[in-house]
Amino acid sequence: MTSNLGAQANDANNIGFGSLEKSGEEDRAMKDFFRPELRNRIDKICKFTKLDTLAIKKIVLKFVDELKASMTHKNIRLVLTEPVIDHLADKGYDSKMGARPLSRKIDELIRVPLSKQMLFDRLENCTITAVMKDHAVEFDIEQDQVSTVNANGIIIV
């Protein structure tokens, strides 16, 4: 079970470039939120710090890998440029909600527009590169060369 309990107290406790020692605000938030019957059944509490930029980018890549796997049946490869990954990490991560909104942002900026393009343009056997143009994600499509061998053993490109 994960929760953002105490995250608001964490943000309020930051001063200047550092942070003060915690004074039990997270524990107080848990006691205020959960009934004693549930709290007494919790064996261990792990407190996490905020995610750094590298961790957020790794989460973006994890979600994108899931999307890539869903496109293999049409022999479509998806490539995201570094600026696109940075944009998704920046727009999809929320310091209060953590990485949870990343999936929705990837759906909004990559999955849905790409699905429409795949459907209407009947894309197959291609490489799609997501690039940033004018502060928006766009797709460059390059058809792959498909070669077959005819009955005479001649390769047709």
Side-chain angles (χ1 to χ4, degrees):
M1 173 172 71
T2 61
S3 167
N4 286 344
L5 288 175
Q8 188 173 13
N10 258 354
D11 287 342
N13 213 8
N14 286 340
I15 295 177
F17 294 104
S19 64
L20 296 175
E21 286 295 316
K22 304 301 182 239
S23 59
E25 290 294 322
E26 300 94 343
D27 296 331
R28 191 172 308 122
M30 191 178 114
K31 288 178 183 172
D32 291 344
F33 190 79
F34 293 117
R35 296 178 54 94
E37 296 83 6
L38 178 61
R39 284 196 320 260
N40 290 334
R41 287 171 173 73
I42 296 174
D43 295 328
K44 185 82 174 162
I45 297 172
C46 299
K47 297 177 185 174
F48 294 97
T49 58
K50 290 185 179 182
L51 296 171
D52 64 357
T53 305
L54 180 60
I56 297 166
K57 287 181 182 183
K58 285 181 179 181
I59 295 169
V60 168
L61 293 175
K62 176 194 169 289
F63 285 130
V64 170
D65 285 345
E66 292 171 4
L67 175 60
K68 287 178 180 181
S70 71
M71 297 166 49
T72 57
H73 70 282
K74 290 196 172 257
N75 199 24
I76 296 175
R77 280 161 304 293
L78 176 63
V79 177
L80 270 64
T81 60
E82 191 70 27
V84 172
I85 294 168
D86 293 341
H87 182 71
L88 291 170
D90 180 51
K91 298 297 181 191
Y93 177 75
D94 181 341
S95 62
K96 295 201 184 344
M97 293 296 296
R100 290 181 182 102
L102 272 173
S103 179
R104 286 187 293 274
K105 190 53 73 174
I106 291 169
D107 283 350
E108 175 190 333
L109 299 177
I110 305 290
R111 185 183 309 266
V112 171
L114 191 56
S115 297
K116 288 178 182 177
Q117 194 158 10
M118 287 171 57
L119 179 66
F120 294 119
D121 293 344
R122 298 178 187 221
L123 296 178
E124 288 185 282
N125 303 314
C126 62
T127 300
I128 300 172
T129 305
V131 296
M132 292 299 298
K133 290 183 183 171
D134 298 324
H135 306 291
V137 178
E138 293 188 13
F139 302 107
D140 291 337
I141 301 169
E142 183 179 322
Q143 290 293 331
D144 293 343
Q145 292 290 340
V146 179
S147 58
T148 58
V149 179
N150 69 10
N152 297 327
I154 299 173
I155 298 173
I156 301 170
V157 180

